[in-house]
Amino acid sequence: MKRARSSEVFLGAGRARARRRLAPLLAAAAFAYLLFVSVKLAGFGAAGPAAAATFGRPGAAGVSEPLRRGVEKPTAPQARARAGAVVSGYGRITGEILLRQEAGAGPRRRWGQLGNFTELERTAAEAWVSGARAWEEASAFAGDVDSIASRDVGEAPPAECPSSVSVSGGEAESEAAVFLPCGLAAGSAVTVVGTARAARQEYVEALERSGAGNGTVMVAQFAVELRGLRAADGEEPPRILHLNPRLRGDWSGRPVLEMNTCFRMQWGRAQRCDGTPSRDDDQVDGFRKCEKWERRDIVESRETKTSSWFNRFIGRAKKPEMTWPFPFSEDKMFVLTIQAGVEGYHINVGGRHVASFPHRMGFALEDATGLAVTGGIDVHSVYATALPKAHPSFSLQQVLEMSERWKARPVPEEPIQLFVGILSATNHFSERMAIRKTWMQFPAIQLGNVVARFFVALSHRKEINAALKKEAEYFGDIVILPFIDRYELVVLKTVAICQYGVQNVTADYIMKCDDDTFVRLDIVLQQITTYNRTLPLYLGNLNLLHRPLRRGKWAVTYEEWPEAVYPPYANGPGYVLSIDIARDIASRHANHSLRLFKMEDVSMGMWVEDYNATAPVQYVHSWRFCQFGCVDNYFTAHYQSPRQMLCLWDKLSAGRAHCCNYR
């Protein structure tokens, strides 16, 4: 035993010496990796000693250095000589990337030339023509704009709010859509009677790549969704509740029930029920988030005869427990009911509670104005009962607070530091009102050093446009763009922001953000002053080496963008440009040399890259310009509902830059 113990001590000492020898090697490897990454990043932004492509590091200029309104551009031979070191027709950064990734490739075309983007330009032309007609109708509209029904585009105005809605037919349908004119209220219930179809074979490329067979799997699933209203044509409606029963699981053979929300085409965190019950304290309106059902992969221990006899002998009562299978089966009919509660939605199948999903901040019961059933299902009938008799959002006066306090100041004649252009949808009255009450109350805006304006296109509905016109006339902070709003045409709003910032105000910098973005203006202004003011600035959450999607709804064709990567671009929810870049964009748009791309933030990256080919641009990255949601000590927070905006403002007023995330 002593010999064994001494050998253990010896082995332990040997391991300790080995760890001591290994530690310097690991430290050296880590240092080499960091050095490699820094060289790579520096290589993408460098173009001689004058270039300054910084990623989160301030420049050498101090705060007291006077602002310069422009930089001298090199002559044409100098620009050609500078661009000759990279791929011809691209800026320095993208050219360097393409040289490194596709060395030896054939000749490349510059983006947007040789007849590209004809479909987008055709869509824009049609939107301008339709917008002119819509504006004339809105100007002549004499109806009541104070009672606007927030229905979707193309739907007839509801005569009243029915207490129940039913859709049924003789033959089962593969999908169903039901309009709920006034949304839901606590106690409302939506029942779907249907039959889950048998599994079908699907091909999954990722599975084949991973070596798991030939990539074909059997899939049986469908979706029942409570949806809101689209903000613009081409944009998906928000999913207030996405209920997705997967009868064969995620290609694993184990059934699962998944629930989620989707806002502005971005999914939240999914809640998954796989047969394991939730904790007793994890409840919604007194119901468990996930109930228990039988799982074939778990073998539960059974009580032995001895323990059963002993428990009966001592008089210990045994609580009976019922076990249920997964509530959906292939080729079998079911009755699914979604009931709206105070704290969330409750899902019942065949009269038995199976799951509950809590309300998420940003979605109210009255926002659920539609039900959609899609996927592998045959729908027999749909019933909605106990519906509200009035929609609280129908009254415009309940959304817009017509107070002198929220009116915008006139555009100052003297120079300002920053102009903020806010992209907004026509019917986003609540979002605009929330911004007026929160971060548009920063002293920088109230004192006139910063100017903020909403940029809004038109809707197909003349009463919505008339309400927008009334809102713009009262508050004085809306720039109405006379074209029909479409998701693909958001890029036109960005161009308009640059034009307004150049022609209507005298600003040193321009910031673009969305109407669901909360901006800490004081911190953004502080960030701007820390960088070299003698060079053009492009500040935001930068994407580097981002590849275009070639498949799916948002696919980019090779005619639209032929190369493997996009140029560096800042995410759209919030970024800052110096005025010389905006002036170049406005000038090129005026002489019809500015090409448009259907993704606004990528377009800006392309335009900045073009400018960077002749004048060095500071590319400054900060992850605190949040793309997805919010992080503590943020610069901007994205996907914030009106209620979250007010919550963030209250916390910021108390000196805490903390988030108001939903559950």
Side-chain angles (χ1 to χ4, degrees):
M1 295 297 293
K2 291 183 179 180
R3 185 174 302 171
R5 189 180 300 115
S6 63
S7 63
E8 289 174 2
V9 173
F10 177 77
L11 290 174
R15 292 192 190 100
R17 285 195 296 270
R19 282 196 296 267
R20 285 195 295 270
R21 294 193 194 98
L22 188 59
L25 296 177
L26 292 175
F31 176 77
Y33 174 74
L34 292 174
L35 183 62
F36 170 75
V37 170
S38 63
V39 170
K40 293 283 284 185
L41 286 177
F44 288 143
T54 60
F55 293 83
R57 290 195 297 263
V63 176
S64 61
E65 184 180 351
L67 296 172
R68 291 184 56 182
R69 304 204 171 271
V71 294
E72 295 183 1
K73 295 185 178 180
T75 62
Q78 290 174 334
R80 284 193 296 269
R82 185 183 298 172
V86 295
V87 180
S88 176
Y90 292 87
R92 293 193 300 275
I93 298 178
T94 297
E96 179 68 18
I97 293 173
L98 294 177
L99 275 179
R100 296 186 183 191
Q101 290 201 339
E102 301 178 8
R108 298 174 173 85
R109 294 179 297 172
R110 189 181 180 88
W111 75 281
Q113 292 184 355
L114 302 180
N116 291 348
F117 301 99
T118 55
E119 185 64 31
L120 180 61
E121 292 169 353
R122 190 182 305 113
T123 302
E126 294 173 356
W128 283 108
V129 173
S130 301
R133 185 166 55 250
W135 181 247
E136 293 177 1
E137 294 176 352
S139 300
F141 180 74
D144 182 13
V145 299
D146 292 329
S147 56
I148 295 176
S150 301
R151 60 192 180 278
D152 213 340
V153 175
E155 294 172 349
E160 58 182 8
C161 295
S163 59
S164 63
V165 174
S166 63
V167 177
S168 60
E171 297 183 359
E173 299 181 357
S174 59
E175 59 182 37
V178 179
F179 179 49
L180 307 173
C182 302
L184 301 176
S188 299
V190 180
T191 300
V192 178
V193 180
T195 301
R197 294 178 185 170
R200 68 183 187 278
Q201 196 175 62
E202 287 189 3
Y203 171 73
V204 182
E205 184 180 357
L207 286 178
E208 185 178 18
R209 254 197 256 115
S210 65
N214 58 0
T216 58
V217 292
M218 299 300 292
V219 177
Q221 65 174 344
F222 61 91
V224 179
E225 296 178 334
L226 292 174
R227 294 182 177 182
L229 302 177
R230 289 183 308 225
D233 288 354
E235 181 176 295
E236 292 290 334
R239 272 81 166 175
I240 298 172
L241 170 64
H242 169 80
L243 176 64
N244 178 208
R246 301 175 181 177
L247 280 66
R248 298 205 176 188
D250 299 327
W251 312 295
S252 63
R254 293 192 296 272
V256 68
L257 193 66
E258 181 169 299
M259 292 156 285
N260 206 342
T261 55
C262 182
F263 182 60
R264 298 282 176 88
M265 294 180 287
Q266 297 293 332
W267 290 96
R269 179 179 297 177
Q271 175 184 321
R272 296 167 58 87
C273 299
D274 59 359
T276 305
S278 302
R279 302 190 313 272
D280 291 338
D281 59 347
D282 195 10
Q283 297 183 348
V284 180
D285 289 322
F287 295 94
R288 283 179 172 175
K289 286 186 177 180
C290 295
E291 297 288 357
K292 179 181 179 180
W293 60 70
E294 293 177 350
R295 288 183 50 168
R296 289 172 294 178
D297 60 323
I298 296 179
V299 179
E300 298 183 356
S301 60
R302 295 183 178 274
E303 190 178 39
T304 64
K305 290 183 179 180
T306 304
S307 61
S308 177
W309 176 85
F310 180 75
N311 288 332
R312 287 199 303 269
F313 178 76
I314 64 176
R316 180 182 296 171
K318 182 180 179 182
K319 188 176 181 180
E321 183 179 5
M322 299 292 293
T323 56
W324 304 88
F326 185 69
F328 302 97
S329 300
E330 298 175 33
D331 291 326
K332 289 188 178 181
M333 185 179 292
F334 63 84
V335 179
L336 165 69
T337 300
I338 301 175
Q339 187 169 24
V342 176
E343 298 179 356
Y345 296 98
H346 309 293
I347 292 89
N348 299 273
V349 181
R352 183 173 64 89
H353 176 262
V354 295
S356 289
F357 185 72
H359 295 308
R360 289 187 171 175
M361 190 172 288
F363 298 105
L365 285 171
E366 60 266 19
D367 295 331
T369 54
L371 175 79
V373 185
T374 59
I377 181 177
D378 293 322
V379 182
H380 304 293
S381 58
V382 178
Y383 303 93
T385 58
L387 300 177
K389 296 182 179 180
H391 196 304
S393 297
F394 279 6
S395 176
L396 191 63
Q397 294 291 351
Q398 293 184 7
V399 177
L400 297 179
E401 186 176 328
M402 300 296 191
S403 170
E404 295 285 334
R405 179 182 178 185
W406 313 123
K407 284 187 175 181
R409 294 167 52 95
V411 174
E413 297 182 359
E414 60 272 10
I416 62 173
Q417 186 176 4
L418 179 67
F419 171 69
V420 184
I422 310 166
L423 302 192
S424 184
T426 319
N427 61 347
H428 281 193
F429 303 103
S430 300
E431 286 81 353
R432 291 190 288 272
M433 198 67 233
I435 291 179
R436 293 186 187 107
K437 291 182 175 181
T438 57
W439 61 266
M440 282 180 70
Q441 296 302 308
F442 268 106
I445 291 182
Q446 298 302 309
L447 297 176
N449 189 37
V450 176
V451 173
R453 293 292 184 267
F454 298 98
F455 286 75
V456 188
L458 297 175
S459 168
H460 287 284
R461 296 171 52 202
K462 58 184 177 182
E463 65 270 24
I464 289 288
N465 295 332
L468 174 66
K469 182 173 178 290
K470 179 179 179 180
E471 179 190 8
E473 291 171 348
Y474 184 84
F475 292 103
D477 57 5
I478 298 178
V479 179
I480 298 179
L481 305 175
F483 64 86
I484 297 298
D485 206 356
R486 291 186 60 89
Y487 184 76
E488 307 96 302
L489 300 182
V490 174
V491 62
L492 296 180
K493 297 182 183 180
T494 304
V495 174
I497 289 175
C498 293
Q499 290 179 322
Y500 193 96
V502 170
Q503 300 171 3
N504 295 69
V505 295
T506 307
D508 296 308
Y509 298 92
I510 291 178
M511 180 176 187
K512 177 263 168 185
C513 67
D514 297 337
D515 64 4
D516 59 349
T517 301
F518 187 95
V519 181
R520 292 178 63 193
L521 269 180
D522 54 344
I523 299 299
V524 171
L525 292 173
Q526 179 183 336
Q527 287 294 307
I528 291 174
T529 59
T530 59
Y531 297 102
N532 190 339
R533 300 186 223 178
T534 63
L535 294 175
L537 177 66
Y538 186 31
L539 168 65
N541 191 335
L542 297 180
N543 287 291
L544 196 64
L545 296 174
H546 192 265
R547 295 179 176 272
L549 297 175
R550 299 301 186 186
R551 296 181 181 177
K553 183 175 181 179
W554 309 111
V556 174
T557 65
Y558 286 95
E559 289 74 21
E560 292 173 320
W561 179 253
E563 303 301 336
V565 294
Y566 289 131
Y569 68 92
N571 288 317
Y575 56 80
V576 179
L577 299 168
S578 53
I579 190 62
D580 33 17
I581 298 177
R583 190 179 295 115
D584 179 69
I585 293 171
S587 174
R588 291 169 58 195
H589 181 71
N591 61 27
H592 306 287
S593 63
L594 185 73
R595 294 290 181 170
L596 304 178
F597 190 61
K598 60 186 177 183
M599 285 180 285
E600 170 271 329
D601 46 6
V602 178
S603 288
M604 182 57 70
M606 295 172 176
W607 301 335
V608 174
E609 171 116 292
D610 286 342
Y611 188 82
N612 186 54
T614 56
V617 174
Q618 295 179 97
Y619 284 77
V620 182
H621 166 73
S622 176
W623 55 268
R624 292 186 179 179
F625 288 89
C626 299
Q627 164 73 353
F628 302 106
C630 174
V631 297
D632 287 345
N633 298 318
Y634 58 90
F635 296 164
T636 62
H638 193 212
Y639 299 130
Q640 302 302 296
S641 69
R643 281 181 288 179
Q644 284 174 303
M645 291 268 189
L646 297 172
C647 175
L648 289 173
W649 182 250
D650 290 341
K651 290 189 175 183
L652 205 58
S653 300
R656 303 188 307 272
H658 294 170
C659 300
C660 298
N661 293 326
Y662 49 69
R663 299 174 64 180

